[in-house]
């Protein structure tokens, strides 16, 4: 990158934010699906009261370096990754990036995550507690707000 005087400088940016959905976050964190991309929890641990440690770059790279088999022997490499719940990515793009921590830079797509939280969890809970007919009735009596604005 050049400065205003015309000198050329090497610039190294920090990876501070990467907006992703859950499957993409798992891919970038180098873990299987049904494994948390930001903590060490796996699908069997979801919902338990234990506070799982964050998935750090040190832990992930240490697990990857402990795998002692030929990367090109795909079946053997996949089997070696399985105990760590790794996705078999051998060289994550962020491995040499200064201060890159997947547990910090991976952030969910807010609208996507809130939508799924609402429909997959909150509405199911309400249907279980109230019944589907009562929930539909409660939604039907919500008054419509007309503020004079047009929707295009």
């Amino acid at each position: 990158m050049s400065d205003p005087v015309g000198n050329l400088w090497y610039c190294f940016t920090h990876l501070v934010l990467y907006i992703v959905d859950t499957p993409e976050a798992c891919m970038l964190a180098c873990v299987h699906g049904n494994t948390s991309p930001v903590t060490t929890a796996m699908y069997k641990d979801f919902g338990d009261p234990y506070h799982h440690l964050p998935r750090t770059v040190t832990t992930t790279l240490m697990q990857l370096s402990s795998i002692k088999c030929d990367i090109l022997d795909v079946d053997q490499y996949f089997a070696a990754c399985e105990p760590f719940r790794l996705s078999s990515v051998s060289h994550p793009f962020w491995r040499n990036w200064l201060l890159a921590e997947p547990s910090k830079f991976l952030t969910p797509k807010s609208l996507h995550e809130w939508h799924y939280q609402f429909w997959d969890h909150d509405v199911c809970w309400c249907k279980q507690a109230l019944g589907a007919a009562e929930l539909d009735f409660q939604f039907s009596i919500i008054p419509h707000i007309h503020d004079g604005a047009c929707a295009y």
Side-chain angles (χ1 to χ4, degrees):
M1 176 182 272
S2 63
D3 64 12
V5 181
N7 298 320
L8 293 177
W9 296 90
Y10 286 110
C11 296
F12 302 97
T13 60
H14 293 285
L15 182 56
V16 294
L17 181 69
Y18 203 114
I19 300 173
V20 293
D21 57 8
T22 304
E24 189 178 15
C26 288
M27 180 186 66
L28 293 173
C30 303
V31 296
H32 278 281
N34 295 331
T35 303
S36 172
V38 294
T39 69
T40 55
M42 60 185 289
Y43 71 95
K44 294 177 183 176
D45 303 323
F46 293 164
D48 70 5
Y50 179 71
H51 179 74
H52 295 275
L53 297 173
R55 180 169 302 283
T56 62
V57 66
T58 306
T59 303
T60 303
L61 293 179
M62 186 177 65
Q63 289 172 340
L64 286 169
S65 68
S66 71
I67 297 171
K68 303 294 184 206
C69 67
D70 184 17
I71 296 172
L72 299 177
D73 184 354
V74 177
D75 291 332
Q76 184 183 16
Y77 188 70
F78 279 20
C81 290
E82 185 62 35
F84 301 113
R85 304 280 307 155
L86 296 174
S87 66
S88 71
V89 172
S90 61
H91 295 87
F93 77 91
W94 43 262
R95 70 186 181 280
N96 295 325
W97 212 320
L98 185 64
L99 303 175
E101 284 290 345
S103 62
K104 293 189 174 40
F105 71 73
L106 293 174
T107 58
K109 293 179 182 175
S110 300
L111 186 58
H112 175 84
E113 295 296 324
W114 293 334
H115 172 79
Y116 278 109
Q117 170 66 31
F118 179 74
W119 287 109
D120 290 351
H121 300 286
D122 298 341
V123 170
C124 291
W125 179 83
C126 288
K127 280 183 183 177
Q128 194 74 9
L130 297 173
E134 179 64 22
L135 186 61
D136 287 342
F137 172 73
Q138 293 297 327
F139 275 123
S140 72
I141 62 173
I142 295 174
H144 293 276
I145 299 173
H146 299 285
D147 60 359
C150 295
Y152 296 101

